[in-house]
Amino acid sequence: MNKLGELAKRIGQLVLVLFLVTLLVAFLMRLLPADTVDIMLPGQPEEFKEVIRQELGLDKGFFGYYFQWLTNFVKGDFGSFYFAGGSETVASHLGNALPKSLLLMLYSQIVALAVSIPLGLSSAYRAGTKFDRAVSGTLFTFSSVPSFAIGLILALVVGVKLGWVEPLGYVPMSEGLVEHFKHMVLPVASLSVGLIAAYTRLLRSDVIATLKEDYVTMAASKGLSDRRILWRHVFRPSSITLMTSAALNMGGLIGGAVVIENIFSIQGVGFEIIYALGTRQYVALQSLIALVAVGYVLFNVVVDIASGFVDPRTRERRGLR
Amino acid sequence: MLKLENLEISFATSRGNLHAVKGVSLEIAAGESIGIVGESGSGKTVLSRASMGLLAPTATRTGTVVFDGQEISSLPREQVRDTWGTGMAMIFQDPMTALNPVRRVGSQIMEGLTVRLGLSKEDARKRAIELLGRVRIPDPEQALKKFPGQLSGGMRQRVMIAIALACNPKLLFADEPTTALDVTVQAQILQLLSELRKELNMSMVLVTHDLGVVAGHTDKIAVMYAGEVVEYASTKDLFARMRMPYTEALMKSIPRLSTPSGSRLPVIEGRLPDPTKPEPGCLFASRCPYAQEKCRTQHPDLTTDSNGHQYRCFFPLGGAQ
Amino acid sequence: MDSVKKSFAFRLTVAWFALIIFFAVFGPLLPLPNWQEVFDDALSVTPLKQGHLLGTDSNGYDILSGIVYGARISLFISFTAVFLGGVIGSAIGISAAYVRGKYDYVVSTLFNVVLSVPNLVLSLALIAVLATNVDPNVPTSTGRRITVLVISLTIVIIPILGRIARAATLSWANREFVLAARSMGSKDRSIIWRHIVPNVLPAIFAVAFLAIGVVIVAEASLSLLGAGVPDGTSWGSMVARGRNDIEFAPHIIIIPLIFIALTVISCNYIGDVIRKQLDQRQAKL
Ligand SMILES: Nc1ncnc2c1ncn2[C@@H]1O[C@H](COP(=O)(O)OP(=O)(O)OP(=O)(O)O)[C@@H](O)[C@H]1O
Ligand code: SF4
Ligand SMILES: [Mg+2]
């Protein structure tokens, strides 16, 4: 009963937050200085605009409009981009854009974790040595350099000066894995540098704390090698902190991806957002932003549940044995 | 089996050099059991960890440790490690902190078996079940799958004993194996340890702050005070002809069995001297009912009487011989 | 603290802040060409050539002048947004944590809601609606864009600092001296001002410095995306304007990038120093 109550409460909170986030985004779009359709489709005949207004429910007041939009949104109908001649659904754009953005972020997280885990463990293990100080100093600097700066400089050095990788555009996996990764290298590198810095710093301090734990000395007293102790006994508990941090950094990563997609001409969700903004597609913009926010919230929930699942300590605390 | 000669340990701390163990020499023969007794903070844990070579890197150690005919104090850590688990093993003071909270009991027991003894997974499992049965854990198969957080303090302590015994060590350090437990469990665990020791023909160092605990379970007793051995004799001799005022005070204070270790409750009037500030006289002088002028200015050496009974006092009980 | 103050890194940071704040405040008094003056005969000049210390860009604008003027705009935007966001956020956060109850629930839920839209996306959305003219052919003035940018970034900062203020207040509001003051009949307002605010402020400051860094990056990102300030008016928009020149005159974007990066590093460093200080104080308590 207790477990169920807890679960119900959490689901209730989640639904409330999702509801409020979408409401907030819808409300934001109402801050436009004039009627949405007038702004979206300037110079179109009034009758045409009226049709669109009715189609969108903009004639039904704010809440009427919001609930109509929300109902469609939940059903997977994210509205359309409107042009003088007609319209294209946001969903069709997303079908192309979403995989690109998701892959970009997934690769960045994988690269970031793959680099920062050994780096964090070894600099914690050698805390205070020259190696540790060099790593910490370098990472502090990199944690402060925005990803777009890294992206631009990488594009300059690698793409233009050395002529190694064609830095622009996106090539899907189906057109060749090598080409696909070639085009992903620079964007992923730009996005992961900041993450590497954040994760390594976090892991280092967490591992230094864990190394002082009794159970680490206990593991040592079994005669295990330091390497085994680090991976099996120290990294395991610290990895949970790392997961939480990966979730926290997701917001920054999404923002970074918007810019990086635009720098490297990857037509992902960030690119679509800027496109909608530039072409004054406020309905599409509302759905896109709501989608990003909802995705972000859900990602955090998933990580929260997953880390609770991985960590027997919280599992006990929550009574979810 | 184990021979300590003039062992000195100090820690570099923010308050200065902390001299935790001062010139300790002890010897333990094969199959023998020795008790190390002293108040909280007297250096028992540091001494036993130093004997194994398990201290943190902030510690400096001088003197020699000979284990099984090998001078391990001059060996690099990698080679000392080969004796851990199989040669020497330790039961840690606090079963709450000395088991890794995010790894299952089974994997923590089997780890030593597979890594150090090269057992197959299946054999290690069988042996782990056997070990858990030996330390009287009901339903060992189930217990293997549990996380430490799902076990009671007494059960965890039994798991620790099982881990320590896993690789058939020749010498077992039991660092206050019962202080964190309640009274009935304490007696059971001590009984169990004594039985196992005889059965497996191990040597044992039993560390405690309770003279009552060591009485029935050891051949010899070393009493420690402020990092020094102040009295050292066979158990029989010590209780029959106690020489040291400090040991007498320990006897009289009869520690409450429920006093948790590490809580540093003074069981004798007054406090331990500050280990970062060297004092000229007898370290016990400020608390000793027999103290005289000489005690405050001169430091007593360890004296051996005709029975081989050692004590560190100018005015021993029963008069000087 | 003294050892930190004496450290090389700390001095360097202070010197850097002094330099850019000097640029921002006294820029117009410096003997530099106007940032909008075009040198037709000196396009894309590399640094130190033809009397241009940091060179010129492909339009013939003097880069140093642009940096000096950009310092004013970039710092104005970020300091104002963080200051306003900090004041509003702290007021909301402190009062919520002090009052507790329903008000607190509403506030923390709202903070969570706003924080669940990634920073950059939220500010993009705000700018998209606030900086739009009804007539697409009338460009939005730079002044209005700056105002909109400040407003959007302020809104982004409010929940970030508000949440810190709330958490810090929660940890102080039940300390003995606060309870004692309360039991002696002190007014809530005076308790907040005398006991809570001075203790909560350092925590807010530590994060505020980080927030300045975040806002500088956000401003630059937005300008790069064409949603910030136009025409090389801020550091970020200098980068944006120089993007197409990256192949043949990389200094045009690298110089403003260096200014952005060093400023962000300095902010993060100061934030870090304050946080470490706080941790030490906490450890001593
Ligand atoms: N890693 C360390 N760094 C600095 N000082 C230490 C360290 N470990 C122990 N000490 C100090 O050494 C002294 C002896 O500590 P030790 O833990 O050996 O006492 P103990 O006799 O085991 O006490 P207890 O009964 O509480 O376990 C204490 O003053 C303690 O503060
Ligand atoms: S030397 Fe003096 S002070 Fe020390 S124990 Fe003996 S009588 Fe007491
Ligand atoms: Mg101890």
PDB file of all heavy atoms in Angstrom, chain A residues 49 113 184 189 229 234 240 259 267 272:
ATOM      1  N   LYS A  49      -6.864  33.188 -43.204  1.00  0.00           N
ATOM      2  CA  LYS A  49      -6.391  33.238 -41.818  1.00  0.00           C
ATOM      3  C   LYS A  49      -7.476  32.748 -40.864  1.00  0.00           C
ATOM      4  O   LYS A  49      -7.194  32.051 -39.889  1.00  0.00           O
ATOM      5  CB  LYS A  49      -6.012  34.682 -41.461  1.00  0.00           C
ATOM      6  CG  LYS A  49      -4.720  35.153 -42.133  1.00  0.00           C
ATOM      7  CD  LYS A  49      -4.199  36.374 -41.405  1.00  0.00           C
ATOM      8  CE  LYS A  49      -3.687  37.422 -42.364  1.00  0.00           C
ATOM      9  NZ  LYS A  49      -3.449  38.697 -41.700  1.00  0.00           N
ATOM     10  N   LEU A 113      31.265   9.841 -21.276  1.00  0.00           N
ATOM     11  CA  LEU A 113      31.423   8.848 -20.207  1.00  0.00           C
ATOM     12  C   LEU A 113      32.661   7.987 -20.452  1.00  0.00           C
ATOM     13  O   LEU A 113      33.421   7.699 -19.529  1.00  0.00           O
ATOM     14  CB  LEU A 113      30.177   7.970 -20.111  1.00  0.00           C
ATOM     15  CG  LEU A 113      28.942   8.706 -19.562  1.00  0.00           C
ATOM     16  CD1 LEU A 113      27.703   7.832 -19.680  1.00  0.00           C
ATOM     17  CD2 LEU A 113      29.150   9.112 -18.117  1.00  0.00           C
ATOM     18  N   MET A 184      29.903  13.097 -37.773  1.00  0.00           N
ATOM     19  CA  MET A 184      29.516  13.292 -36.379  1.00  0.00           C
ATOM     20  C   MET A 184      30.703  13.671 -35.495  1.00  0.00           C
ATOM     21  O   MET A 184      30.516  14.200 -34.408  1.00  0.00           O
ATOM     22  CB  MET A 184      28.880  12.005 -35.836  1.00  0.00           C
ATOM     23  CG  MET A 184      27.440  11.813 -36.269  1.00  0.00           C
ATOM     24  SD  MET A 184      26.413  13.203 -35.779  1.00  0.00           S
ATOM     25  CE  MET A 184      24.874  12.407 -35.428  1.00  0.00           C
ATOM     26  N   ALA A 189      32.457  15.912 -30.662  1.00  0.00           N
ATOM     27  CA  ALA A 189      33.604  16.389 -29.885  1.00  0.00           C
ATOM     28  C   ALA A 189      33.269  17.709 -29.214  1.00  0.00           C
ATOM     29  O   ALA A 189      33.538  17.900 -28.022  1.00  0.00           O
ATOM     30  CB  ALA A 189      34.820  16.535 -30.787  1.00  0.00           C
ATOM     31  N   ILE A 229      39.945  -3.132  -7.312  1.00  0.00           N
ATOM     32  CA  ILE A 229      39.245  -2.394  -6.265  1.00  0.00           C
ATOM     33  C   ILE A 229      38.590  -1.154  -6.850  1.00  0.00           C
ATOM     34  O   ILE A 229      37.429  -0.857  -6.571  1.00  0.00           O
ATOM     35  CB  ILE A 229      40.212  -2.022  -5.134  1.00  0.00           C
ATOM     36  CG1 ILE A 229      40.652  -3.282  -4.410  1.00  0.00           C
ATOM     37  CG2 ILE A 229      39.568  -1.048  -4.157  1.00  0.00           C
ATOM     38  CD1 ILE A 229      41.756  -3.063  -3.422  1.00  0.00           C
ATOM     39  N   VAL A 234      34.899   0.738  -6.012  1.00  0.00           N
ATOM     40  CA  VAL A 234      34.827   2.186  -5.899  1.00  0.00           C
ATOM     41  C   VAL A 234      33.925   2.761  -6.978  1.00  0.00           C
ATOM     42  O   VAL A 234      33.070   3.602  -6.723  1.00  0.00           O
ATOM     43  CB  VAL A 234      36.238   2.807  -5.988  1.00  0.00           C
ATOM     44  CG1 VAL A 234      36.152   4.319  -5.936  1.00  0.00           C
ATOM     45  CG2 VAL A 234      37.100   2.288  -4.858  1.00  0.00           C
ATOM     46  N   ILE A 240      26.575   5.832  -9.623  1.00  0.00           N
ATOM     47  CA  ILE A 240      25.210   6.294  -9.420  1.00  0.00           C
ATOM     48  C   ILE A 240      25.171   7.818  -9.355  1.00  0.00           C
ATOM     49  O   ILE A 240      24.307   8.460  -9.944  1.00  0.00           O
ATOM     50  CB  ILE A 240      24.626   5.643  -8.163  1.00  0.00           C
ATOM     51  CG1 ILE A 240      24.476   4.140  -8.448  1.00  0.00           C
ATOM     52  CG2 ILE A 240      23.294   6.241  -7.794  1.00  0.00           C
ATOM     53  CD1 ILE A 240      24.641   3.269  -7.267  1.00  0.00           C
ATOM     54  N   VAL A 259      22.788  24.837 -30.667  1.00  0.00           N
ATOM     55  CA  VAL A 259      23.790  25.687 -31.309  1.00  0.00           C
ATOM     56  C   VAL A 259      24.682  24.868 -32.239  1.00  0.00           C
ATOM     57  O   VAL A 259      24.964  25.275 -33.373  1.00  0.00           O
ATOM     58  CB  VAL A 259      24.646  26.404 -30.249  1.00  0.00           C
ATOM     59  CG1 VAL A 259      25.564  27.414 -30.908  1.00  0.00           C
ATOM     60  CG2 VAL A 259      23.762  27.087 -29.232  1.00  0.00           C
ATOM     61  N   GLN A 267      20.432  18.942 -39.504  1.00  0.00           N
ATOM     62  CA  GLN A 267      19.040  19.388 -39.423  1.00  0.00           C
ATOM     63  C   GLN A 267      18.274  18.595 -38.383  1.00  0.00           C
ATOM     64  O   GLN A 267      17.369  17.833 -38.703  1.00  0.00           O
ATOM     65  CB  GLN A 267      18.421  19.324 -40.808  1.00  0.00           C
ATOM     66  CG  GLN A 267      19.284  20.173 -41.744  1.00  0.00           C
ATOM     67  CD  GLN A 267      18.685  20.390 -43.096  1.00  0.00           C
ATOM     68  OE1 GLN A 267      17.638  19.863 -43.420  1.00  0.00           O
ATOM     69  NE2 GLN A 267      19.366  21.201 -43.894  1.00  0.00           N
ATOM     70  N   GLU A 272      15.388  22.735 -36.418  1.00  0.00           N
ATOM     71  CA  GLU A 272      13.967  22.989 -36.691  1.00  0.00           C
ATOM     72  C   GLU A 272      13.436  24.143 -35.839  1.00  0.00           C
ATOM     73  O   GLU A 272      12.626  24.945 -36.300  1.00  0.00           O
ATOM     74  CB  GLU A 272      13.134  21.728 -36.408  1.00  0.00           C
ATOM     75  CG  GLU A 272      13.403  20.565 -37.357  1.00  0.00           C
ATOM     76  CD  GLU A 272      12.891  20.848 -38.778  1.00  0.00           C
ATOM     77  OE1 GLU A 272      11.998  21.701 -38.944  1.00  0.00           O
ATOM     78  OE2 GLU A 272      13.413  20.224 -39.719  1.00  0.00           O
TER      79      GLU A 272
END
